[in-house]
Amino acid sequence: MHDKMYDVIIIGAGVSGCATVRELSRWQLRICVVEREADVCCGTSKANSGLVHAGFDAPAGSLMAKLNLRGNEMMEQLSKDLDFTFIRNGALVVCLEESEMPGLQALYDRGITNGVKGLQILNREEVQALEPNITENVYAALYAPTAGMVCPFELNTALAENAYTNGAEFRFDTEVINIRKQDGHFTVCTNQGALAAKCVVNAAGVYADQIHNMVSRRAIHITPRKGEYCLLDKSAGAHVKHTVYSLPGKYGKGILVTPTVHGNLLLGPTADDIENKEGTDTTSSGLAKVLENAGRNVKNIPLSQIITSFAGLRAHEAGHEFIIQEAEDAAGFIDCAGIESPGLSSSPAIGEMTAGLVTDRLNPLPNPNFNGTRKGILNPRLLSKEERNRLIRENPAYGRIICRCEMVSEGEIIDAIRRPLGARTLDGIKRRTRAGMGRCQAGFCLPRTMEILARELDADLSEITKSGGRSRIIEGGSMHEKL
């Protein structure tokens, strides 16, 4: 017999899982999120373009199209409620030749069918007026003013923190090994023991097929689609103002050039189907492709300003459609699978829809204590000089700069550790505060950040990890202990 029966177990603490748990925390439910990594936002959600797509790309009538539009419409209010950055910077899809115009027109028509507002087809002069660094070869472009951008880490963390403060439980370093349905409930077997629930939500990203296939005879298959990126320094961040796409091809939207909410410039992604669900390595050929194709639409990209490269995996399902439904042969098991682009854009709507499937089944009462707002980490750089000086007088930690590239103070790092679902790893601090994300890529701030983390967690320096598990930075007296 289980010590505790949950109403819902959500597998995966990426943006889909956390959007779902945040919606479910509006109700009187016992909810547990299980995540095999040491933190939220460690899979597909952490390595993507950070774009909130307008909704013209998804096939007309598809669930992708519907949820993309709804997610885009929800994002602005959500960013205010949960205190994360959202900028509606608009997007341009570049057409280089007159012969490509039917493709651009088809994209416009699809966007109109999908309900996207404000779409226009611009001529060469209009595009160049909007983006001075657009290629001289531009013939026309589709302009989508409702497109925007977020920081994926901020969005994911904000959803998780808000759900947690509203009563949801999170279990990290907890990997699902098997799921059994018995006596009207599910037993979820993990590396940390068995858990029981009336409903299970499968939001496991590239592993969603493995989780689904544990309970259903109607198998699904997820192919990891690798996307490689280059990130440029903030000195290059203003090279374009809008997100600049190529006309979509077989594997999606092609290599894009976009600013980020933090003022960097991002190039990518490639699209290569692989079998390895952990294959997030970058390749020389992939990065060469990024650089070559980025230069087709945007001229004079200052490639000497590249500070890092990375790769992410999209969870591609052969039907190229979100699978958000109850498994036909496993009542109470709800898939949230095949969530690839525009998954991040759609995430508020994905959470709404997935949670709706759960509440339809469980009929819970509203949570009278639900609070839909959350305050993010205080950023002293957004304060006036007087306010900042007052803050430093009250708390001198905000006057000690730890990460010079991003000007992150000790006060912010302490907040990241102490807040709900606080950081326990160096990557956790990096994603919450940007300490280590700047030009030197943690070359200077790493030792100091480690010291603060060790002090706050009352841990030995040798126990501090980059991303949990065995990712220790230094070896010390406790290195032979079993993790």
Side-chain angles (χ1 to χ4, degrees):
M1 190 63 196
H2 301 279
D3 296 337
K4 186 173 187 179
M5 169 74 77
Y6 292 103
D7 293 305
V8 195
I9 288 175
I10 296 171
I11 301 168
V15 77
S16 298
C18 289
T20 301
V21 69
R22 192 247 177 185
E23 285 296 323
L24 286 173
S25 70
R26 297 175 184 274
W27 304 92
Q28 292 184 41
L29 291 167
R30 286 158 303 190
I31 314 165
C32 181
V33 180
V34 297
E35 167 57 55
R36 70 184 194 127
E37 300 293 342
D39 202 353
V40 302
C41 198
C42 285
T44 297
S45 301
K46 82 166 186 288
N48 57 63
S49 311
L51 301 179
V52 178
H53 297 293
F56 54 76
D57 191 53
S62 65
L63 187 58
M64 275 183 175
K66 178 184 160 193
L67 296 185
N68 185 164
L69 196 73
R70 172 80 180 136
N72 181 300
E73 287 169 352
M74 292 171 75
M75 198 66 80
E76 194 156 351
Q77 187 58 50
L78 190 67
S79 72
K80 290 173 180 151
D81 292 343
L82 298 184
D83 195 23
F84 63 86
T85 313
F86 169 59
I87 300 171
R88 214 180 272 287
N89 65 315
L92 291 165
V93 183
V94 173
C95 171
L96 298 178
E97 297 170 20
E98 188 175 2
S99 61
E100 292 181 337
M101 282 303 290
L104 200 70
Q105 185 65 46
L107 213 52
Y108 172 87
D109 294 341
R110 194 188 308 162
I112 297 298
T113 303
N114 288 348
V116 180
K117 296 182 177 73
L119 288 178
Q120 299 173 57
I121 291 182
L122 307 180
N123 64 27
R124 177 194 306 248
E125 289 72 26
E126 290 169 321
V127 181
Q128 288 174 329
L130 274 184
E131 284 294 350
N133 284 318
I134 209 84
T135 174
E136 307 290 352
N137 300 327
V138 62
Y139 181 81
L142 176 65
Y143 175 48
T146 60
M149 51 189 181
V150 294
C151 168
F153 319 129
E154 280 186 31
L155 169 60
N156 202 155
T157 305
L159 290 165
E161 283 183 10
N162 191 231
Y164 179 79
T165 54
N166 282 305
E169 195 178 316
F170 283 74
R171 294 181 183 231
F172 296 109
D173 301 309
T174 304
E175 184 167 4
V176 175
I177 297 160
N178 195 18
I179 304 173
R180 294 192 306 273
K181 177 124 199 225
Q182 58 198 82
D183 306 327
H185 72 266
F186 294 92
T187 298
V188 179
C189 304
T190 79
N191 62 339
Q192 306 283 356
L195 305 169
K198 297 172 188 170
C199 281
V200 170
V201 173
N202 170 23
V206 293
Y207 288 95
D209 53 352
Q210 290 184 12
I211 300 295
H212 168 93
N213 297 342
M214 289 174 184
V215 300
S216 175
R217 287 184 299 280
R218 294 200 58 169
I220 62 172
H221 179 66
I222 301 288
T223 302
R225 181 165 284 176
K226 183 196 285 193
E228 298 182 50
Y229 294 87
C230 292
L231 184 72
L232 281 71
D233 189 46
K234 290 183 177 180
S235 59
H239 197 72
V240 292
K241 293 190 288 292
H242 305 80
T243 299
V244 180
Y245 300 100
S246 298
L247 263 176
K250 180 184 171 190
Y251 289 108
K253 305 170 190 72
I255 306 297
L256 55 89
V257 179
T258 185
T260 71
V261 293
H262 297 295
N264 298 82
L265 191 72
L266 184 67
L267 318 177
T270 52
D272 297 299
D273 288 351
I274 62 174
E275 282 306 312
N276 180 8
K277 292 181 188 283
E278 298 295 313
T280 54
D281 53 318
T282 54
T283 63
S284 57
S285 59
L287 296 176
K289 190 173 169 187
V290 169
L291 301 184
E292 179 193 343
N293 290 349
R296 283 187 187 160
N297 293 329
V298 177
K299 63 186 180 185
N300 303 329
I301 298 172
L303 300 179
S304 62
Q305 298 299 309
I306 292 172
I307 58 174
T308 191
S309 57
F310 62 93
L313 301 176
R314 283 103 90 189
H316 175 67
E317 194 273 328
H320 189 57
E321 177 63 301
F322 297 156
I323 303 171
I324 303 175
Q325 61 194 33
E326 192 169 46
E328 286 176 27
D329 53 352
F333 182 91
I334 291 154
D335 279 310
C336 182
I339 310 298
E340 58 180 319
S341 180
L344 188 75
S345 318
S346 309
S347 58
I350 289 171
E352 197 176 55
M353 180 177 177
T354 310
L357 293 172
V358 175
T359 54
D360 285 351
R361 168 160 281 280
L362 296 178
N363 295 312
L365 294 168
N367 175 2
N369 302 315
F370 176 77
N371 178 356
T373 62
R374 160 265 189 197
K375 283 301 289 177
I377 292 171
L378 174 65
N379 183 348
R381 297 172 294 291
L382 301 180
L383 301 176
S384 70
K385 192 174 179 184
E386 290 75 21
E387 290 170 325
R388 194 160 65 238
N389 287 340
R390 190 183 316 120
L391 173 69
I392 291 167
R393 276 197 303 275
E394 290 169 6
N395 186 345
Y398 284 99
R400 290 192 284 274
I401 300 300
I402 303 301
C403 171
R404 296 179 192 177
C405 298
E406 295 288 326
M407 295 300 288
V408 180
S409 68
E410 183 175 0
E412 292 159 83
I413 293 172
I414 291 170
D415 186 1
I417 298 165
R418 292 182 182 175
R419 66 187 10 249
L421 284 185
R424 295 290 175 271
T425 64
L426 290 164
D427 278 356
I429 287 174
K430 180 169 79 170
R431 291 181 193 134
R432 285 167 177 81
T433 68
R434 295 190 57 78
M437 272 201 187
R439 184 176 296 186
C440 86
Q441 290 288 292
F444 285 92
C445 63
L446 178 79
R448 194 73 189 90
T449 307
M450 284 180 68
E451 287 171 7
I452 297 166
L453 197 54
R455 183 188 75 213
E456 288 293 316
L457 299 180
D458 195 21
D460 191 82
L461 273 175
S462 62
E463 297 170 53
I464 301 302
T465 65
K466 181 182 184 294
S467 56
R470 300 182 178 276
S471 62
R472 294 183 177 187
I473 305 296
I474 58 173
E475 298 290 18
S478 54
M479 68 178 177
H480 297 300
E481 290 172 14
K482 195 171 176 209
L483 292 171

